[in-house]
Amino acid sequence: MKNEKLKAILDEALENIRNALELEDINERRNRYLGKKSELASMGSQIATLPPEEKKTFGQEMNEVRTKIAEAIEARMAAIKAKALEAKLKRETIDISLPGRNETLGARNPFYIVKDEMTEIFLGMGFEVADGPEIETDMFNFELLNIPKDHPARDMQDTFYIDENTLLRTHTSPVQARTMEKAKGAPIRIICPGKTYRRDDDDATHSHQFAQIEGLVIDKGINIGHLKATLELFAKKMFGEKREIRLRSSYFPFTEPSVEVDITCANCGGKGCNMCKGTGYIEILGGGMVHPNVLKMNGYDPEVYSGFAFGIGIERVAILRYGIDDIRKFYNNDVRFLHQFKKKD
């Protein structure tokens, strides 16, 4: 650069721009070196007084100085802004090492897990779900199920009466009677899940409130082989393919013949252990062929139609499935108990 004064202005400007620390400093340098009252602006007015041969060179050098100063100002301004942003981000940094405030998710009661699974299994077999009132009449709860007044079977079921003719149902069998009444002699294949109530001791294995899933099939040609096949399929779907069932003769007033149904013990695989008391089997439900009297009272000709019925305690299946040691835990609303059954992703 030939003009020493322009060189001196450029050197001074670049040094001062490098030393600027704030945006206000940069703006001050811009006004000082590029403003209308700057020394460069004053020197620009002298171009008209120069000889023609010097005007071009002087003008080119002035433009070069002005460009270099402007570029230095923009670069320094960008650096100051970047430094300010970095400092701001450091001040506002969130410490992600601190524990967050997570929402605590609940867990389903194993009672409902098992109830829904049992229902799905029977729906897959072609059953339909039927429902009925929990407050029942003596007629549907007892009479139409071949349990007349003063029948010995009432001894363990006479329970919570509202009046002489109304009570909390002791089983879900009244739903079967109501369904048969509505069907008017047509074939039936239903399950009846729901709560039941009986006067009973409250201990680890008994409760005044419990739930059942009862099943009923009525059609022509139904026999006990159909009952066994249905329950065997249920047991394998619910407890695993290796589980086997056995039928033991029993008595229920609404079925004839009646059976207790046992399942091979999961603990010993049927070999015998303390859990199954050395038998290799654990009782899970009762059932049998629908009693001819029940068919007659509910509008079916026992010479034409036959059927089977069964009843499964939902809590009992859940206890066997999960190894629960106290039936009362299903109803105590203890979240520590429920969290054991929280679904894992």
Side-chain angles (χ1 to χ4, degrees), residues 28-55:
E28 186 272 331
R29 269 62 164 181
R30 186 193 304 275
N31 291 331
R32 185 195 304 182
Y33 296 108
L34 299 178
K36 293 181 179 179
K37 297 181 179 180
S38 65
E39 194 169 2
L40 273 179
S42 298
M43 291 181 68
S45 62
Q46 300 174 10
I47 294 179
T49 63
L50 295 175
E53 62 276 8
E54 296 181 10
K55 285 183 179 180

PDB file of all heavy atoms in Angstrom, residues 28-55:
ATOM      1  N   GLU A  28     -18.841   0.967  18.322  1.00  0.00           N
ATOM      2  CA  GLU A  28     -18.033   2.196  18.452  1.00  0.00           C
ATOM      3  C   GLU A  28     -16.921   2.220  17.413  1.00  0.00           C
ATOM      4  O   GLU A  28     -16.662   3.259  16.782  1.00  0.00           O
ATOM      5  CB  GLU A  28     -17.466   2.253  19.869  1.00  0.00           C
ATOM      6  CG  GLU A  28     -16.723   3.559  20.181  1.00  0.00           C
ATOM      7  CD  GLU A  28     -15.239   3.491  19.794  1.00  0.00           C
ATOM      8  OE1 GLU A  28     -14.670   2.375  19.812  1.00  0.00           O
ATOM      9  OE2 GLU A  28     -14.677   4.539  19.426  1.00  0.00           O
ATOM     10  N   ARG A  29     -16.268   1.034  17.161  1.00  0.00           N
ATOM     11  CA  ARG A  29     -15.210   0.963  16.156  1.00  0.00           C
ATOM     12  C   ARG A  29     -15.776   1.165  14.755  1.00  0.00           C
ATOM     13  O   ARG A  29     -15.145   1.816  13.902  1.00  0.00           O
ATOM     14  CB  ARG A  29     -14.523  -0.404  16.196  1.00  0.00           C
ATOM     15  CG  ARG A  29     -13.305  -0.537  17.091  1.00  0.00           C
ATOM     16  CD  ARG A  29     -13.557  -0.304  18.529  1.00  0.00           C
ATOM     17  NE  ARG A  29     -12.483  -0.797  19.392  1.00  0.00           N
ATOM     18  CZ  ARG A  29     -12.523  -0.708  20.700  1.00  0.00           C
ATOM     19  NH1 ARG A  29     -13.578  -0.136  21.304  1.00  0.00           N
ATOM     20  NH2 ARG A  29     -11.527  -1.163  21.443  1.00  0.00           N
ATOM     21  N   ARG A  30     -16.981   0.672  14.521  1.00  0.00           N
ATOM     22  CA  ARG A  30     -17.596   0.855  13.203  1.00  0.00           C
ATOM     23  C   ARG A  30     -17.800   2.345  12.922  1.00  0.00           C
ATOM     24  O   ARG A  30     -17.493   2.849  11.817  1.00  0.00           O
ATOM     25  CB  ARG A  30     -18.927   0.105  13.131  1.00  0.00           C
ATOM     26  CG  ARG A  30     -19.559   0.116  11.733  1.00  0.00           C
ATOM     27  CD  ARG A  30     -21.003  -0.359  11.796  1.00  0.00           C
ATOM     28  NE  ARG A  30     -21.123  -1.672  12.390  1.00  0.00           N
ATOM     29  CZ  ARG A  30     -20.993  -2.821  11.746  1.00  0.00           C
ATOM     30  NH1 ARG A  30     -20.695  -2.801  10.460  1.00  0.00           N
ATOM     31  NH2 ARG A  30     -21.123  -3.972  12.380  1.00  0.00           N
ATOM     32  N   ASN A  31     -18.331   3.068  13.893  1.00  0.00           N
ATOM     33  CA  ASN A  31     -18.568   4.505  13.701  1.00  0.00           C
ATOM     34  C   ASN A  31     -17.254   5.277  13.546  1.00  0.00           C
ATOM     35  O   ASN A  31     -17.142   6.218  12.754  1.00  0.00           O
ATOM     36  CB  ASN A  31     -19.356   5.066  14.881  1.00  0.00           C
ATOM     37  CG  ASN A  31     -20.787   4.544  14.900  1.00  0.00           C
ATOM     38  OD1 ASN A  31     -21.347   4.241  13.834  1.00  0.00           O
ATOM     39  ND2 ASN A  31     -21.379   4.444  16.073  1.00  0.00           N
ATOM     40  N   ARG A  32     -16.222   4.843  14.322  1.00  0.00           N
ATOM     41  CA  ARG A  32     -14.954   5.567  14.304  1.00  0.00           C
ATOM     42  C   ARG A  32     -14.232   5.425  12.962  1.00  0.00           C
ATOM     43  O   ARG A  32     -13.669   6.404  12.432  1.00  0.00           O
ATOM     44  CB  ARG A  32     -14.035   5.070  15.421  1.00  0.00           C
ATOM     45  CG  ARG A  32     -12.747   5.903  15.501  1.00  0.00           C
ATOM     46  CD  ARG A  32     -11.670   5.218  16.344  1.00  0.00           C
ATOM     47  NE  ARG A  32     -12.119   4.910  17.682  1.00  0.00           N
ATOM     48  CZ  ARG A  32     -11.305   4.348  18.599  1.00  0.00           C
ATOM     49  NH1 ARG A  32     -10.056   4.022  18.269  1.00  0.00           N
ATOM     50  NH2 ARG A  32     -11.767   4.075  19.809  1.00  0.00           N
ATOM     51  N   TYR A  33     -14.274   4.225  12.378  1.00  0.00           N
ATOM     52  CA  TYR A  33     -13.473   3.986  11.180  1.00  0.00           C
ATOM     53  C   TYR A  33     -14.276   3.949   9.876  1.00  0.00           C
ATOM     54  O   TYR A  33     -13.697   4.125   8.805  1.00  0.00           O
ATOM     55  CB  TYR A  33     -12.704   2.676  11.326  1.00  0.00           C
ATOM     56  CG  TYR A  33     -11.694   2.738  12.454  1.00  0.00           C
ATOM     57  CD1 TYR A  33     -11.907   2.033  13.619  1.00  0.00           C
ATOM     58  CD2 TYR A  33     -10.544   3.515  12.343  1.00  0.00           C
ATOM     59  CE1 TYR A  33     -11.005   2.075  14.666  1.00  0.00           C
ATOM     60  CE2 TYR A  33      -9.622   3.575  13.385  1.00  0.00           C
ATOM     61  CZ  TYR A  33      -9.868   2.859  14.548  1.00  0.00           C
ATOM     62  OH  TYR A  33      -8.964   2.931  15.584  1.00  0.00           O
ATOM     63  N   LEU A  34     -15.614   3.778   9.979  1.00  0.00           N
ATOM     64  CA  LEU A  34     -16.398   3.707   8.744  1.00  0.00           C
ATOM     65  C   LEU A  34     -17.541   4.719   8.719  1.00  0.00           C
ATOM     66  O   LEU A  34     -18.277   4.789   7.731  1.00  0.00           O
ATOM     67  CB  LEU A  34     -16.984   2.290   8.572  1.00  0.00           C
ATOM     68  CG  LEU A  34     -15.984   1.132   8.454  1.00  0.00           C
ATOM     69  CD1 LEU A  34     -16.737  -0.201   8.329  1.00  0.00           C
ATOM     70  CD2 LEU A  34     -15.044   1.335   7.268  1.00  0.00           C
ATOM     71  N   GLY A  35     -17.677   5.495   9.761  1.00  0.00           N
ATOM     72  CA  GLY A  35     -18.763   6.463   9.831  1.00  0.00           C
ATOM     73  C   GLY A  35     -18.553   7.678   8.938  1.00  0.00           C
ATOM     74  O   GLY A  35     -17.474   7.863   8.351  1.00  0.00           O
ATOM     75  N   LYS A  36     -19.573   8.530   8.848  1.00  0.00           N
ATOM     76  CA  LYS A  36     -19.498   9.719   7.994  1.00  0.00           C
ATOM     77  C   LYS A  36     -18.462  10.724   8.479  1.00  0.00           C
ATOM     78  O   LYS A  36     -17.956  11.527   7.698  1.00  0.00           O
ATOM     79  CB  LYS A  36     -20.868  10.381   7.932  1.00  0.00           C
ATOM     80  CG  LYS A  36     -21.914   9.536   7.213  1.00  0.00           C
ATOM     81  CD  LYS A  36     -23.254  10.262   7.174  1.00  0.00           C
ATOM     82  CE  LYS A  36     -24.300   9.420   6.437  1.00  0.00           C
ATOM     83  NZ  LYS A  36     -25.613  10.097   6.398  1.00  0.00           N
ATOM     84  N   LYS A  37     -18.185  10.674   9.788  1.00  0.00           N
ATOM     85  CA  LYS A  37     -17.217  11.623  10.343  1.00  0.00           C
ATOM     86  C   LYS A  37     -15.858  10.981  10.590  1.00  0.00           C
ATOM     87  O   LYS A  37     -15.015  11.531  11.288  1.00  0.00           O
ATOM     88  CB  LYS A  37     -17.752  12.197  11.651  1.00  0.00           C
ATOM     89  CG  LYS A  37     -19.032  12.990  11.479  1.00  0.00           C
ATOM     90  CD  LYS A  37     -19.497  13.568  12.817  1.00  0.00           C
ATOM     91  CE  LYS A  37     -20.782  14.387  12.649  1.00  0.00           C
ATOM     92  NZ  LYS A  37     -21.241  14.951  13.930  1.00  0.00           N
ATOM     93  N   SER A  38     -15.659   9.790  10.011  1.00  0.00           N
ATOM     94  CA  SER A  38     -14.404   9.085  10.210  1.00  0.00           C
ATOM     95  C   SER A  38     -13.290   9.738   9.399  1.00  0.00           C
ATOM     96  O   SER A  38     -13.531  10.518   8.469  1.00  0.00           O
ATOM     97  CB  SER A  38     -14.546   7.623   9.800  1.00  0.00           C
ATOM     98  OG  SER A  38     -14.801   7.523   8.410  1.00  0.00           O
ATOM     99  N   GLU A  39     -12.048   9.355   9.753  1.00  0.00           N
ATOM    100  CA  GLU A  39     -10.882   9.889   9.041  1.00  0.00           C
ATOM    101  C   GLU A  39     -10.870   9.410   7.600  1.00  0.00           C
ATOM    102  O   GLU A  39     -10.452  10.158   6.692  1.00  0.00           O
ATOM    103  CB  GLU A  39      -9.597   9.456   9.762  1.00  0.00           C
ATOM    104  CG  GLU A  39      -8.371  10.218   9.300  1.00  0.00           C
ATOM    105  CD  GLU A  39      -7.174   9.974  10.193  1.00  0.00           C
ATOM    106  OE1 GLU A  39      -7.296   9.182  11.151  1.00  0.00           O
ATOM    107  OE2 GLU A  39      -6.118  10.566   9.929  1.00  0.00           O
ATOM    108  N   LEU A  40     -11.356   8.176   7.358  1.00  0.00           N
ATOM    109  CA  LEU A  40     -11.441   7.669   5.986  1.00  0.00           C
ATOM    110  C   LEU A  40     -12.384   8.506   5.145  1.00  0.00           C
ATOM    111  O   LEU A  40     -12.115   8.823   3.977  1.00  0.00           O
ATOM    112  CB  LEU A  40     -11.910   6.206   5.987  1.00  0.00           C
ATOM    113  CG  LEU A  40     -10.849   5.120   6.121  1.00  0.00           C
ATOM    114  CD1 LEU A  40     -11.510   3.750   6.114  1.00  0.00           C
ATOM    115  CD2 LEU A  40      -9.835   5.233   4.991  1.00  0.00           C
ATOM    116  N   ALA A  41     -13.520   8.876   5.765  1.00  0.00           N
ATOM    117  CA  ALA A  41     -14.493   9.694   5.035  1.00  0.00           C
ATOM    118  C   ALA A  41     -13.893  11.056   4.673  1.00  0.00           C
ATOM    119  O   ALA A  41     -14.097  11.590   3.571  1.00  0.00           O
ATOM    120  CB  ALA A  41     -15.754   9.875   5.873  1.00  0.00           C
ATOM    121  N   SER A  42     -13.103  11.619   5.594  1.00  0.00           N
ATOM    122  CA  SER A  42     -12.457  12.917   5.328  1.00  0.00           C
ATOM    123  C   SER A  42     -11.443  12.794   4.200  1.00  0.00           C
ATOM    124  O   SER A  42     -11.338  13.663   3.320  1.00  0.00           O
ATOM    125  CB  SER A  42     -11.770  13.420   6.603  1.00  0.00           C
ATOM    126  OG  SER A  42     -12.725  13.616   7.629  1.00  0.00           O
ATOM    127  N   MET A  43     -10.675  11.712   4.205  1.00  0.00           N
ATOM    128  CA  MET A  43      -9.680  11.522   3.153  1.00  0.00           C
ATOM    129  C   MET A  43     -10.347  11.286   1.809  1.00  0.00           C
ATOM    130  O   MET A  43      -9.828  11.680   0.756  1.00  0.00           O
ATOM    131  CB  MET A  43      -8.783  10.322   3.490  1.00  0.00           C
ATOM    132  CG  MET A  43      -7.878  10.589   4.686  1.00  0.00           C
ATOM    133  SD  MET A  43      -6.815   9.174   5.048  1.00  0.00           S
ATOM    134  CE  MET A  43      -5.751   9.187   3.599  1.00  0.00           C
ATOM    135  N   GLY A  44     -11.546  10.682   1.784  1.00  0.00           N
ATOM    136  CA  GLY A  44     -12.246  10.453   0.540  1.00  0.00           C
ATOM    137  C   GLY A  44     -12.613  11.755  -0.149  1.00  0.00           C
ATOM    138  O   GLY A  44     -12.668  11.830  -1.394  1.00  0.00           O
ATOM    139  N   SER A  45     -12.844  12.794   0.631  1.00  0.00           N
ATOM    140  CA  SER A  45     -13.212  14.080   0.030  1.00  0.00           C
ATOM    141  C   SER A  45     -12.024  14.743  -0.668  1.00  0.00           C
ATOM    142  O   SER A  45     -12.170  15.717  -1.410  1.00  0.00           O
ATOM    143  CB  SER A  45     -13.775  15.013   1.111  1.00  0.00           C
ATOM    144  OG  SER A  45     -12.778  15.275   2.095  1.00  0.00           O
ATOM    145  N   GLN A  46     -10.792  14.215  -0.408  1.00  0.00           N
ATOM    146  CA  GLN A  46      -9.599  14.808  -1.018  1.00  0.00           C
ATOM    147  C   GLN A  46      -9.327  14.286  -2.422  1.00  0.00           C
ATOM    148  O   GLN A  46      -8.434  14.776  -3.119  1.00  0.00           O
ATOM    149  CB  GLN A  46      -8.372  14.511  -0.131  1.00  0.00           C
ATOM    150  CG  GLN A  46      -8.493  15.076   1.273  1.00  0.00           C
ATOM    151  CD  GLN A  46      -7.326  14.647   2.169  1.00  0.00           C
ATOM    152  OE1 GLN A  46      -6.332  14.081   1.698  1.00  0.00           O
ATOM    153  NE2 GLN A  46      -7.456  14.950   3.466  1.00  0.00           N
ATOM    154  N   ILE A  47     -10.087  13.230  -2.825  1.00  0.00           N
ATOM    155  CA  ILE A  47      -9.819  12.636  -4.138  1.00  0.00           C
ATOM    156  C   ILE A  47      -9.950  13.670  -5.255  1.00  0.00           C
ATOM    157  O   ILE A  47      -9.169  13.710  -6.229  1.00  0.00           O
ATOM    158  CB  ILE A  47     -10.763  11.456  -4.400  1.00  0.00           C
ATOM    159  CG1 ILE A  47     -10.461  10.316  -3.414  1.00  0.00           C
ATOM    160  CG2 ILE A  47     -10.647  10.942  -5.827  1.00  0.00           C
ATOM    161  CD1 ILE A  47     -11.354   9.120  -3.569  1.00  0.00           C
ATOM    162  N   ALA A  48     -10.883  14.570  -5.107  1.00  0.00           N
ATOM    163  CA  ALA A  48     -11.128  15.560  -6.176  1.00  0.00           C
ATOM    164  C   ALA A  48      -9.941  16.489  -6.370  1.00  0.00           C
ATOM    165  O   ALA A  48      -9.751  17.083  -7.453  1.00  0.00           O
ATOM    166  CB  ALA A  48     -12.391  16.360  -5.850  1.00  0.00           C
ATOM    167  N   THR A  49      -9.095  16.630  -5.345  1.00  0.00           N
ATOM    168  CA  THR A  49      -7.965  17.569  -5.435  1.00  0.00           C
ATOM    169  C   THR A  49      -6.704  16.916  -5.967  1.00  0.00           C
ATOM    170  O   THR A  49      -5.695  17.597  -6.220  1.00  0.00           O
ATOM    171  CB  THR A  49      -7.667  18.163  -4.049  1.00  0.00           C
ATOM    172  OG1 THR A  49      -7.274  17.092  -3.165  1.00  0.00           O
ATOM    173  CG2 THR A  49      -8.899  18.866  -3.489  1.00  0.00           C
ATOM    174  N   LEU A  50      -6.732  15.587  -6.128  1.00  0.00           N
ATOM    175  CA  LEU A  50      -5.545  14.877  -6.580  1.00  0.00           C
ATOM    176  C   LEU A  50      -5.397  14.948  -8.099  1.00  0.00           C
ATOM    177  O   LEU A  50      -6.374  15.094  -8.824  1.00  0.00           O
ATOM    178  CB  LEU A  50      -5.614  13.402  -6.150  1.00  0.00           C
ATOM    179  CG  LEU A  50      -5.580  13.131  -4.644  1.00  0.00           C
ATOM    180  CD1 LEU A  50      -5.784  11.628  -4.396  1.00  0.00           C
ATOM    181  CD2 LEU A  50      -4.263  13.616  -4.043  1.00  0.00           C
ATOM    182  N   PRO A  51      -4.144  14.816  -8.556  1.00  0.00           N
ATOM    183  CA  PRO A  51      -3.922  14.753 -10.015  1.00  0.00           C
ATOM    184  C   PRO A  51      -4.636  13.526 -10.580  1.00  0.00           C
ATOM    185  O   PRO A  51      -4.793  12.520  -9.894  1.00  0.00           O
ATOM    186  CB  PRO A  51      -2.401  14.626 -10.136  1.00  0.00           C
ATOM    187  CG  PRO A  51      -1.852  15.122  -8.839  1.00  0.00           C
ATOM    188  CD  PRO A  51      -2.879  14.832  -7.795  1.00  0.00           C
ATOM    189  N   PRO A  52      -5.031  13.588 -11.834  1.00  0.00           N
ATOM    190  CA  PRO A  52      -5.786  12.472 -12.440  1.00  0.00           C
ATOM    191  C   PRO A  52      -5.062  11.148 -12.353  1.00  0.00           C
ATOM    192  O   PRO A  52      -5.680  10.101 -12.133  1.00  0.00           O
ATOM    193  CB  PRO A  52      -5.972  12.909 -13.892  1.00  0.00           C
ATOM    194  CG  PRO A  52      -5.889  14.398 -13.839  1.00  0.00           C
ATOM    195  CD  PRO A  52      -4.911  14.744 -12.753  1.00  0.00           C
ATOM    196  N   GLU A  53      -3.750  11.158 -12.498  1.00  0.00           N
ATOM    197  CA  GLU A  53      -3.023   9.895 -12.502  1.00  0.00           C
ATOM    198  C   GLU A  53      -2.990   9.227 -11.122  1.00  0.00           C
ATOM    199  O   GLU A  53      -2.720   8.040 -10.983  1.00  0.00           O
ATOM    200  CB  GLU A  53      -1.594  10.086 -13.020  1.00  0.00           C
ATOM    201  CG  GLU A  53      -0.711  10.998 -12.214  1.00  0.00           C
ATOM    202  CD  GLU A  53      -0.888  12.473 -12.548  1.00  0.00           C
ATOM    203  OE1 GLU A  53      -1.821  12.796 -13.321  1.00  0.00           O
ATOM    204  OE2 GLU A  53      -0.084  13.276 -12.059  1.00  0.00           O
ATOM    205  N   GLU A  54      -3.250   9.996  -9.990  1.00  0.00           N
ATOM    206  CA  GLU A  54      -3.213   9.446  -8.629  1.00  0.00           C
ATOM    207  C   GLU A  54      -4.603   9.045  -8.121  1.00  0.00           C
ATOM    208  O   GLU A  54      -4.716   8.327  -7.132  1.00  0.00           O
ATOM    209  CB  GLU A  54      -2.592  10.470  -7.674  1.00  0.00           C
ATOM    210  CG  GLU A  54      -1.148  10.783  -7.993  1.00  0.00           C
ATOM    211  CD  GLU A  54      -0.558  11.779  -7.001  1.00  0.00           C
ATOM    212  OE1 GLU A  54      -1.231  12.054  -5.965  1.00  0.00           O
ATOM    213  OE2 GLU A  54       0.542  12.275  -7.250  1.00  0.00           O
ATOM    214  N   LYS A  55      -5.650   9.575  -8.767  1.00  0.00           N
ATOM    215  CA  LYS A  55      -7.005   9.352  -8.262  1.00  0.00           C
ATOM    216  C   LYS A  55      -7.352   7.855  -8.207  1.00  0.00           C
ATOM    217  O   LYS A  55      -7.903   7.344  -7.236  1.00  0.00           O
ATOM    218  CB  LYS A  55      -8.023  10.085  -9.142  1.00  0.00           C
ATOM    219  CG  LYS A  55      -8.043  11.575  -8.929  1.00  0.00           C
ATOM    220  CD  LYS A  55      -9.129  12.226  -9.787  1.00  0.00           C
ATOM    221  CE  LYS A  55      -9.182  13.721  -9.557  1.00  0.00           C
ATOM    222  NZ  LYS A  55     -10.224  14.367 -10.374  1.00  0.00           N
TER     223      LYS A  55
END
